[in-house]
């Protein structure tokens, strides 16, 4: 058994998940990496202990180069699969994107691979990523800027969650058995075994950052230390272990730190986040963004984590918001921070008004909420118990019943209150702050106001001393509030 095959076999067998793999889907492009992978796997399943394993070939055309080249690659892959009596699937990218090409192409490719796994009932997926790929990817991410998770780079064996064309979710073991091989080793192996492959000519074009890193930057660094690739990959594996340890710790703490309110909304407990050390706050927020937020938002500004840290620690302004990412906001309301999609601007509520134009009649405030001014004789004990809220009034000093209307708060609103020193006026805005009413709810609170624009009642919160009965027998009217549905 030659050294390359032995190293490959040992790598595959080192993964416990390999024991569960009966049907293995191979992502084969037609390049040297994937054609060597295909050759090695064909050799492996010919061994007696693995003759029950089935290989499935999956080829995806990204349509980013000339049709002639893609046709040649596909023909090579299909002919090789037929030669060895392998099941194969081919597909193409129907609508190649004009921007963010690498990420979108990867997404389209893995969607196709998820379809193949479903169709073939595959147990695991293998790709031909090698050591050069791993180092180039990590280096490229460092140049562009990345997170702790981004520095973990290309993992050699893990459970991958993929979405198929029908939006079904596929979970599979993703294996990269060539991850410890240099690309030069694969060229030598292909030559020694006369393996046909096609070279991607776009790999020579220096307009792509990855190609500049591969052809210009990394060779210079490798001259300083020939072990640079192995050293960087070893560091990458240490970072992967470190991230995994932090992730497992975070998962234990997540139910205490935040709650998922619905599909696209979370509430962070400010006090619980403050109790963490600075280091854990930053690491846990990073993990939240990488493992939770990015799944629904697609991206986020790296500065968003710093803004959120400030929002957690801010003791002077417990109610404010900022843009977290395109279409997303972080909204602090006292002891909680809500991370949610940015809502469209709501209509101005301060101009909305309902006049209580007659007594003993219900008026709708919308959303099933009703209010009315009723004569005392009209209201019995059972009725008072049945409603959600009420306010007793003494209007005996008026020849005509004062006119009341309902509206939302306006700048300068005051309410008359009593104290041991006599009556005084207090701003509605101050009451809302003192009662810690979230800013998002303040403009939605209903106020009962008389024709002099004096606030009589903040429904559900505070009532004025004006019209307040001194004795039960002085009650002449009731304001009743009822949630009908």
């Amino acid at each position: 058994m030659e050294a390359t095959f032995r190293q490959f076999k040992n790598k595959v067998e080192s993964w416990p998940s390999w024991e569960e793999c009966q049907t293995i889907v191979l992502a084969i492009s037609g390049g040297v990496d994937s054609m060597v992978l295909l050759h090695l796997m064909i050799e492996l399943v010919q061994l007696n202990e693995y003759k029950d394993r089935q290989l499935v070939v999956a080829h995806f055309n990204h349509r980013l180069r000339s049709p002639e080249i893609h046709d040649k690659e596909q023909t090579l892959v299909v002919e090789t699969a037929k030669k060895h009596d392998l099941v194969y699937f081919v597909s193409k990218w129907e609508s190649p994107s004009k921007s963010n090409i690498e990420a979108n192409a990867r997404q389209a490719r893995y969607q196709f691979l998820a379809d193949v796994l479903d169709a073939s009932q595959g147990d695991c997926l293998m790709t031909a990523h090698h050591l050069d790929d791993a180092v180039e990817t990590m280096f490229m991410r460092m140049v562009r800027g990345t997170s702790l998770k981004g520095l973990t780079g290309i993992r050699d064996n893990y459970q991958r969650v993929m979405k198929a064309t029908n939006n079904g979710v596929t979970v599979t073991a993703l294996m990269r058995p060539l991850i410890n091989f240099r690309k030069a080793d694969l060229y030598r192996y292909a030559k020694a075994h006369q393996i046909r492959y096609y070279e991607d000519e776009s790999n020579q074009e220096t307009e792509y950052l990855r190609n500049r890193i591969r052809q210009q930057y990394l060779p210079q660094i490798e001259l300083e230390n020939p072990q640079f690739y192995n050293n960087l990959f070893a560091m990458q594996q240490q970072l992967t272990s470190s991230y995994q340890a932090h992730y497992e710790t975070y998962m234990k703490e997540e139910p205490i730190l935040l709650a998922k309110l619905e599909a696209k909304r979370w509430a962070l407990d400010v006090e619980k986040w403050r109790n963490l050390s600075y280091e854990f706050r930053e690491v846990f927020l990073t993990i939240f963004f990488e493992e939770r937020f990015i799944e629904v938002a697609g991206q986020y500004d790296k500065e968003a984590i710093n803004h959120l840290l400030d929002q957690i620690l801010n003791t002077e302004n417990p109610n404010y918001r900022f843009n977290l990412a395109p279409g997303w906001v972080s909204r602090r309301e006292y002891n909680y921070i809500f991370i949610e999609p940015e809502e469209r601007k709501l209509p101005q509520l301060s101009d909305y008004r309902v006049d209580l134009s007659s007594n003993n009649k219900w008026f709708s405030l919308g959303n099933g909420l009703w209010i009315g001014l009723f004569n005392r004789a009209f209201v019995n004990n059972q009725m008072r118990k049945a409603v959600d809220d009420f306010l007793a009034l003494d209007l005996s000093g008026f020849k005509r019943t004062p006119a009341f209307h309902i509206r939302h708060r306006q700048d300068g609103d005051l309410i008359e209150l009593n104290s041991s020193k006599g009556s005084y006026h207090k701003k509605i805005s101050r009451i809302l702050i003192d009662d810690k009413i979230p800013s998002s709810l303040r403009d939605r609170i209903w106020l009962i106001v008389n024709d002099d624009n004096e606030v009589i009642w903040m429904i559900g919160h505070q009532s004025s001393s004006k019209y307040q009965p001194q004795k039960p027998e002085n009650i002449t009217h009731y304001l009743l509030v009822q949630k009908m549905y």
Side-chain angles (χ1 to χ4, degrees):
M1 186 182 295
E2 65 175 337
T4 300
F5 181 71
R6 186 185 304 109
Q7 182 182 350
F8 178 84
K9 180 175 181 288
N10 290 341
K11 182 68 174 179
V12 171
E13 292 176 337
S14 70
W15 295 321
S17 53
W18 166 248
E19 294 299 321
E20 307 298 323
C21 292
Q22 290 299 313
T23 300
I24 305 105
V25 175
L26 305 175
I28 308 298
S29 67
V32 64
D33 319 331
S34 63
M35 294 305 291
V36 167
L37 172 64
L38 178 56
H39 184 275
L40 288 167
M41 283 302 298
I42 290 172
E43 292 290 312
L44 185 65
V45 299
Q46 288 177 351
L47 299 177
N48 287 331
E49 63 262 45
Y50 298 130
K51 282 187 175 180
D52 61 334
R53 310 293 172 105
Q54 180 184 4
L55 301 181
V56 176
V57 172
H59 174 77
F60 188 70
N61 178 357
H62 295 93
R63 296 175 64 197
L64 297 176
R65 293 173 290 139
S66 69
E68 292 79 11
I69 293 176
H70 285 305
D71 288 343
K72 289 179 180 179
E73 290 173 336
Q74 180 172 312
T75 299
L76 172 62
V77 173
V78 170
E79 286 179 350
T80 307
K82 288 181 176 180
K83 177 181 177 181
H84 296 278
D85 287 330
L86 302 180
V87 175
Y88 65 89
F89 293 80
V90 295
S91 186
K92 62 183 178 181
W93 195 5
E94 294 294 344
S95 302
S97 62
K98 303 297 183 183
S99 61
N100 201 15
I101 296 173
E102 186 174 353
N104 290 327
R106 181 171 56 250
Q107 181 179 346
R109 180 171 65 254
Y110 276 103
Q111 186 178 64
F112 161 67
L113 293 172
D115 292 340
V116 174
L117 284 161
D118 287 344
S120 64
Q121 297 185 323
D123 303 303
C124 61
L125 170 66
M126 284 189 180
T127 66
H129 292 86
H130 47 76
L131 182 57
D132 292 47
D133 288 328
V135 172
E136 289 164 12
T137 298
M138 186 177 185
F139 203 87
M140 185 166 63
R141 289 176 180 176
M142 288 191 295
V143 170
R144 289 176 171 171
T146 189
S147 62
L148 177 60
K149 184 180 181 180
L151 288 175
T152 61
I154 298 176
R155 289 181 284 176
D156 59 357
N157 178 31
Y158 70 104
Q159 290 293 308
R160 172 94 183 207
V161 179
M162 298 184 292
K163 186 175 288 188
T165 304
N166 62 3
N167 286 325
V169 174
T170 298
V171 181
T172 191
L174 175 55
M175 302 176 176
R176 292 167 172 142
L178 299 180
I179 201 68
N180 295 109
F181 289 86
R182 293 296 306 271
K183 183 146 188 170
D185 298 332
L186 303 182
Y187 279 124
R188 283 191 288 270
Y189 185 88
K191 183 177 181 180
H193 292 269
Q194 298 181 332
I195 299 172
R196 292 175 58 207
Y197 61 87
Y198 280 100
E199 196 72 63
D200 184 351
E201 76 279 2
S202 66
N203 288 337
Q204 307 304 318
E205 298 172 3
T206 56
E207 62 180 290
Y208 299 110
L209 174 60
R210 180 182 288 275
N211 291 349
R212 293 196 299 276
I213 289 173
R214 177 186 301 137
Q215 297 173 26
Q216 300 172 12
Y217 309 149
L218 291 180
Q220 291 298 315
I221 298 175
E222 195 173 15
L223 288 176
E224 298 293 333
N225 182 359
Q227 291 300 311
F228 169 73
Y229 276 76
N230 290 322
N231 292 343
L232 193 64
F233 184 65
M235 183 179 71
Q236 188 179 89
Q237 290 179 307
Q238 292 174 3
L239 288 169
T240 300
S241 298
S242 175
Y243 181 83
Q244 186 63 27
H246 284 308
Y247 174 73
E248 291 173 5
T249 305
Y250 167 80
M251 290 302 295
K252 293 176 183 177
E253 298 293 328
E254 188 182 61
I256 301 172
L257 297 172
L258 62 92
K260 188 173 185 179
L261 303 180
E262 50 204 50
K264 293 184 177 182
R265 194 164 178 255
W266 294 271
L268 278 61
D269 188 317
V270 171
E271 196 61 34
K272 296 296 191 299
W273 283 90
R274 282 182 182 170
N275 290 338
L276 297 172
S277 68
Y278 172 82
E279 291 77 14
F280 271 117
R281 264 199 306 273
E282 186 169 11
V283 169
F284 283 2
L285 278 179
T286 300
I287 293 173
F288 166 76
F289 274 91
E290 290 289 340
E291 303 291 345
R292 298 286 183 259
F293 183 74
I294 205 169
E295 286 295 318
V296 295
Q299 61 177 319
Y300 68 92
D301 185 347
K302 300 298 188 296
E303 283 299 309
I305 294 177
N306 293 330
H307 286 308
L308 201 52
L309 285 169
D310 291 341
Q311 203 173 34
I312 289 170
L313 298 174
N314 192 311
T315 57
E316 297 181 358
N317 186 2
N319 293 283
Y320 73 97
R321 55 179 276 173
F322 67 87
N323 293 328
L324 202 59
W328 286 82
V329 296
S330 174
R331 177 169 54 85
R332 169 83 182 272
E333 290 187 354
Y334 294 106
N335 294 326
Y336 292 93
I337 294 173
F338 297 94
I339 295 177
E340 57 197 1
E342 187 172 19
E343 296 179 358
R344 60 181 176 82
K345 288 189 176 181
L346 297 170
Q348 191 72 294
L349 296 174
S350 59
D351 296 332
Y352 191 87
R353 168 174 168 153
V354 175
D355 291 302
L356 299 180
S357 54
S358 59
N359 292 0
N360 306 322
K361 177 181 176 182
W362 289 103
F363 294 85
S364 173
L365 298 179
N367 296 319
L369 189 64
W370 295 75
I371 189 168
L373 178 66
F374 296 85
N375 297 332
R376 176 177 178 171
F378 198 88
V379 181
N380 56 31
N381 288 335
Q382 185 178 1
M383 192 172 180
R384 287 199 302 272
K385 292 178 180 179
V387 298
D388 291 288
D389 207 351
F390 70 86
L391 179 67
L393 302 175
D394 178 7
L395 305 179
S396 58
F398 299 88
K399 292 181 179 181
R400 295 180 59 186
T401 302
F404 297 104
H405 62 273
I406 302 98
R407 62 169 173 80
H408 294 290
R409 72 180 181 123
Q410 298 174 352
D411 291 341
D413 276 339
L414 299 170
I415 189 169
E416 184 180 301
L417 302 173
N418 275 337
S419 71
S420 58
K421 297 180 180 179
S423 62
Y424 67 100
H425 288 84
K426 188 172 184 178
K427 286 185 175 182
I428 297 296
S429 59
R430 187 71 255 172
I431 293 175
L432 294 171
I433 293 172
D434 292 345
D435 289 353
K436 294 187 175 181
I437 306 301
S439 56
S440 62
L441 300 180
R442 294 175 188 176
D443 290 336
R444 297 183 175 277
I445 292 174
W446 290 106
L447 306 180
I448 309 296
V449 182
N450 64 16
D451 269 0
D452 293 327
N453 223 23
E454 296 174 306
V455 177
I456 307 306
W457 189 18
M458 295 171 59
I459 296 177
H461 296 278
Q462 185 69 269
S463 60
S464 170
S465 58
K466 196 175 184 69
Y467 312 122
Q468 189 176 73
Q470 299 302 309
K471 299 177 181 179
E473 55 265 29
N474 293 343
I475 298 173
T476 62
H477 294 78
Y478 286 96
L479 282 165
L480 304 181
V481 177
Q482 177 68 54
K483 183 74 172 176
M484 301 293 190
Y485 55 86

